[in-house]
Amino acid sequence: MHQQYLLPPSYDDLIEPEHLVRVVSAAIDKLDLRPLLRQYKGGGTSSYHPQMLLKVLVYAYTQKVYSSRKIAKALRENIHFMWLSGEQRPDFRTINDFRGSRMKGVIDEVFAEVLEYLIEAGKVKLEAYFVDGTKIEADANKHKVVWAKRKNTYQKRVRQQIDELLKRIEAENEAEQAEYGEKDLEERGGGGEGGSAIDSEKLRERIEKLNQRLRERQQPKKDTQAARKALKKLADDCLPRLEKYEQQTETLAGRSSYAKTDPEASCMRMKEDRGAEKPWPKPAYNVQIGTEGQFITGFSVHNRAGDTPCLIPHLEQVRKNTGGGLPKKIVADAAYGSEENYAYLEQQNAENFLKYNTFYQDTHHYRNPQVLRAHQFRAEHFAHDPETDTFVCPAGKRLHFQYTSRYTTDNGYVSDRRNYECFDCAECPLKSQCTKAKGNRKIRISFRLLAYRSQARANLTSEEGQRLRAERSTEVETVFGHIKHNMSFRRFHLRGLEKVKTEWGLVSIAHNLSKLAA
């Protein structure tokens, strides 16, 4: 233990030739890191080289070390980290600043360089692209959440209180009564065309005007005491609450919830909580990845729980990483089979291997009579007569066209649905099996969606489609299993969508290089 070396050994002599740390170092040495180097403007004290810090971070993620303090500790104690850093010892603040600030905005370009390295090594061809998503818990307090429904209730309540206080002030203020007559106040919709809900800016202006008028009045103070008291409540209580709810509305940006400690995280139901007695949504991010040969070839991070609207933004990110082209075949489960996504793949000349929500029912034969009958009464299985533009139900009755309704998705895609109704359901013996409505059977049909589904069904049931469906079950799920179980990555350590995206990019690079070494 205390014996001295005549010549101290080199770290390089103590690390095995095929060790993972050498694979990480060699791979990052071949990357074009100019986008990362541009983050350093020069001047001031000398910085640690970003290439060294990137190597340390990626290798740390392969070793399930995610805390910046633990990475700094490994740089002092672990021979592999010491070899990577050349015995340099940046502290945890430097590591965290590099990961959260320097890497933010360039992680896509760094990942694209890793992807190009895998293509040159012959590991990835970008022919088939298997897509799936999972929820990763955010670094946020699950008990401090703003819910949109609750916020709307409180906001409506405070607006009602404001209306009552303004009525009280109006009754006390004779000057206002003379000015407005029988009209209501502007902020309550009486002074404008159409009317609108009061907001904090209008309320603040109104409070200032009322204050000025009360100061100009010559009556004794006791005559205006009620008005002054109501005005004080408006300024000190209602206005701050209204401003808070408006700020929450802006932060929600159409979402149903957000976490106070990470406002960009939304509450989602986690897969691991499905067996819990009382599952409760947690602040999380929706991570979408695409794989080929169990290498991650594309990723994106979203704060929307549903997978359907995330596919197009995800594939746009893939196009950016690959220089403008998509893989030839896009394979995904039934969560992605929407008209919008099918239309996008058609536009990009990508083969459609997206399941839809009733694919399993359409491709399996049922022996159970009850299930078979329910399958026959689905709207898309009704026979269509193009000459009369009517549908024929299993009972032989016709459903006639009524009107066209238009729907717009979160991504701005517009879809037209044709609505049909049967006018002779009252005495039909099959009505109880056909519909639960008290009136007639109504259906809503998109012929474009039906054509896309027919194309997807033909592709998925072909010999190649069956092979891709079998591969999909072992592609993405295996990668998620490796990251969540083997790498023990179940919760983000950074906050904010951009920083979380950076962290997932590091996880993806670490996974790819670990698989490359294996």
Side-chain angles (χ1 to χ4, degrees), residues 29 51 74 86 107 180 185 225 246 255 349 443 499 501 511:
D29 280 339
Q51 187 180 46
I107 188 64
Y180 284 88
L185 297 174
Q225 187 175 4
E246 288 175 355
R255 294 179 289 162
N349 296 318
I443 63 174
K499 290 186 177 181
K501 181 181 176 182
H511 165 82

Side-chain angles (χ1 to χ4, degrees), residues 23-226:
V23 177
V24 171
S25 179
I28 294 178
D29 280 339
K30 295 180 181 180
L31 304 183
D32 181 4
L33 299 180
R34 281 179 292 182
L36 183 57
L37 295 174
R38 284 197 294 267
Q39 300 295 312
Y40 294 82
K41 297 180 180 179
T45 185
S46 58
S47 304
Y48 292 103
H49 200 285
Q51 187 180 46
M52 179 272 292
L53 291 172
L54 179 60
K55 289 180 180 181
V56 168
L57 271 177
V58 171
Y59 182 68
Y61 273 67
T62 66
Q63 301 303 300
K64 302 188 290 187
V65 182
Y66 309 115
S67 165
S68 58
R69 287 176 173 83
K70 290 183 178 180
I71 295 173
K73 181 182 179 183
L75 287 168
R76 299 190 300 266
E77 299 177 355
N78 189 304
I79 190 173
H80 302 105
F81 282 87
M82 292 178 182
W83 178 78
L84 269 183
S85 67
E87 287 195 84
Q88 297 179 88
R89 296 179 180 179
D91 62 11
F92 73 92
R93 294 183 184 86
T94 302
I95 296 169
N96 209 36
D97 177 71
F98 176 78
R99 177 174 58 178
S101 300
R102 304 288 185 180
M103 290 288 294
K104 187 171 69 173
V106 299
I107 188 64
D108 290 326
E109 297 173 81
V110 175
F111 179 81
E113 287 295 321
V114 174
L115 182 59
E116 185 176 345
Y117 175 76
L118 293 174
I119 294 173
E120 291 175 355
K123 303 297 182 182
V124 171
K125 298 179 181 178
L126 292 182
E127 292 182 349
Y129 191 79
F130 301 91
V131 190
D132 206 351
T134 191
K135 312 294 191 300
I136 302 290
E137 192 173 346
D139 182 26
N141 190 329
K142 63 181 179 181
H143 301 293
K144 295 183 178 181
V145 175
V146 174
W147 298 92
K149 287 186 178 180
R150 193 174 299 173
K151 185 272 303 178
N152 291 338
T153 300
Y154 293 155
Q155 192 171 22
K156 183 179 179 181
R157 192 176 299 170
V158 75
R159 281 176 173 165
Q160 291 174 349
Q161 189 176 7
I162 290 170
D163 284 348
E164 293 172 1
L165 291 171
L166 287 173
K167 283 181 181 179
R168 191 183 306 170
I169 296 172
E170 181 185 6
E172 294 289 332
N173 197 327
E174 297 175 355
E176 284 184 357
Q177 183 64 24
E179 180 180 348
Y180 284 88
E182 296 302 319
K183 292 192 298 180
D184 208 341
L185 297 174
E186 290 96 333
E187 60 267 30
R188 300 184 61 239
E193 296 182 2
S196 60
I198 188 171
D199 58 25
S200 59
E201 185 177 353
K202 292 179 180 178
L203 181 59
R204 189 183 298 277
E205 292 175 359
R206 190 63 191 158
I207 289 172
E208 292 177 0
K209 290 180 181 179
L210 291 173
N211 263 325
Q212 180 65 26
R213 288 178 181 175
L214 286 174
R215 284 193 295 268
E216 293 173 354
R217 289 183 62 178
Q218 302 298 323
Q219 286 85 353
K221 184 178 179 181
K222 62 180 181 180
D223 293 340
T224 60
Q225 187 175 4

Side-chain angles (χ1 to χ4, degrees), residues 163-448:
D163 284 348
E164 293 172 1
L165 291 171
L166 287 173
K167 283 181 181 179
R168 191 183 306 170
I169 296 172
E170 181 185 6
E172 294 289 332
N173 197 327
E174 297 175 355
E176 284 184 357
Q177 183 64 24
E179 180 180 348
Y180 284 88
E182 296 302 319
K183 292 192 298 180
D184 208 341
L185 297 174
E186 290 96 333
E187 60 267 30
R188 300 184 61 239
E193 296 182 2
S196 60
I198 188 171
D199 58 25
S200 59
E201 185 177 353
K202 292 179 180 178
L203 181 59
R204 189 183 298 277
E205 292 175 359
R206 190 63 191 158
I207 289 172
E208 292 177 0
K209 290 180 181 179
L210 291 173
N211 263 325
Q212 180 65 26
R213 288 178 181 175
L214 286 174
R215 284 193 295 268
E216 293 173 354
R217 289 183 62 178
Q218 302 298 323
Q219 286 85 353
K221 184 178 179 181
K222 62 180 181 180
D223 293 340
T224 60
Q225 187 175 4
R228 293 183 187 277
K229 187 176 180 180
L231 197 57
K232 180 176 174 58
K233 186 171 181 64
L234 279 175
D236 297 345
D237 179 36
C238 296
L239 180 59
R241 286 162 58 198
L242 190 60
E243 289 176 335
K244 181 182 74 172
Y245 297 140
E246 288 175 355
Q247 178 61 43
Q248 290 177 352
T249 302
E250 184 179 349
T251 305
L252 282 165
R255 294 179 289 162
S256 61
S257 63
Y258 73 85
K260 291 183 179 180
T261 47
D262 183 0
E264 294 190 70
S266 304
C267 283
M268 306 177 188
R269 296 192 181 276
M270 311 298 288
K271 185 178 290 186
E272 53 266 27
D273 293 339
R274 286 181 181 175
E277 188 174 336
K278 292 183 178 180
W280 188 257
K282 297 177 182 176
Y285 288 94
N286 187 354
V287 174
Q288 301 286 314
I289 68 169
T291 67
E292 182 184 342
Q294 297 181 11
F295 286 97
I296 298 177
T297 54
F299 73 91
S300 61
V301 182
H302 312 265
N303 53 13
R304 292 185 286 187
D307 288 337
T308 309
C310 296
L311 180 65
I312 294 178
H314 172 77
L315 293 179
E316 284 295 311
Q317 184 62 53
V318 173
R319 286 183 60 199
K320 179 181 175 182
N321 290 344
T322 57
L326 282 180
K328 298 178 182 178
K329 304 176 181 66
I330 309 297
V331 188
D333 61 18
Y336 299 90
S338 69
E339 181 180 335
E340 177 185 14
N341 292 338
Y342 288 138
Y344 176 81
L345 294 185
E346 182 182 49
Q347 180 185 359
Q348 300 299 325
N349 296 318
E351 294 187 47
N352 171 11
F353 289 91
L354 303 185
K355 286 184 180 179
Y356 51 91
N357 56 352
T358 57
F359 173 77
Y360 182 85
Q361 293 89 326
D362 290 348
T363 54
H364 286 72
H365 299 285
Y366 296 99
R367 296 182 179 179
N368 188 328
Q370 185 176 358
V371 176
L372 184 60
R373 283 195 299 271
H375 185 65
Q376 294 174 344
F377 284 101
R378 283 175 37 211
E380 56 266 34
H381 292 158
F382 288 5
H384 180 245
D385 184 357
E387 294 184 1
T388 60
D389 192 15
T390 57
F391 282 88
V392 182
C393 73
K397 299 182 181 296
R398 291 185 177 269
L399 289 83
H400 301 271
F401 171 74
Q402 298 300 300
Y403 60 91
T404 300
S405 54
R406 177 163 290 185
Y407 297 89
T408 304
T409 67
D410 293 339
N411 294 328
Y413 178 81
V414 178
S415 174
D416 291 331
R417 304 292 172 93
R418 295 176 65 82
N419 293 263
Y420 296 80
E421 182 178 354
C422 178
F423 300 109
D424 191 20
C425 291
E427 303 298 328
C428 180
L430 301 179
K431 182 180 178 182
S432 60
Q433 302 176 42
C434 184
T435 179
K436 296 181 180 179
K438 293 182 180 180
N440 296 319
R441 173 70 189 272
K442 299 178 182 180
I443 63 174
R444 187 180 294 114
I445 293 292
S446 169
F447 288 103
R448 190 179 187 188

